[in-house]
Amino acid sequence: MENRAALDMSADFGTLTDDLPEAQRSLLLAYSSILTPEAMAALREQLSEPRGDLDAEFAVLDEDAADEVRQRLAERMAPDVRR
């Protein structure tokens, strides 16, 4: 409560996940049970950086989006994911 962290997320993430879509929050929760503390720290660091247009596009990606749309977005996101 002190950090205003969501109950379903690790307190280490504080409020970094508050504006994430439910699918990304769920993925982070799953990651927390299988990734090393070092990997989770890297994710936390990435989430602490300002979010750009790609994150916004991903957040509003329609579940019925064409494969071509998904592919283009994935290719544009790949460098950040690899980092």
Side-chain angles (χ1 to χ4, degrees):
M1 287 184 68
E2 183 177 304
N3 295 322
R4 295 282 197 225
L7 293 176
D8 60 340
M9 295 304 301
S10 166
D12 294 341
F13 280 85
T15 59
L16 294 174
T17 61
D18 287 352
D19 62 343
L20 290 180
E22 187 60 34
Q24 284 183 298
R25 291 172 57 87
S26 296
L27 192 55
L28 276 175
L29 187 58
Y31 285 163
S32 70
S33 65
I34 57 173
L35 294 180
T36 65
E38 293 80 13
M40 290 303 293
L43 283 173
R44 192 170 45 254
E45 180 180 329
Q46 187 176 21
L47 285 173
S48 68
E49 296 173 359
R51 298 200 180 110
D53 293 338
L54 289 177
D55 287 330
E57 285 182 50
F58 181 76
V60 298
L61 185 65
D62 187 59
E63 64 184 51
D64 297 327
D67 287 342
E68 298 81 30
V69 172
R70 293 172 185 267
Q71 182 67 34
R72 279 193 308 269
L73 184 57
E75 288 172 2
R76 290 173 45 216
M77 294 176 79
D80 287 338
V81 172
R82 283 187 188 110
R83 185 178 53 81

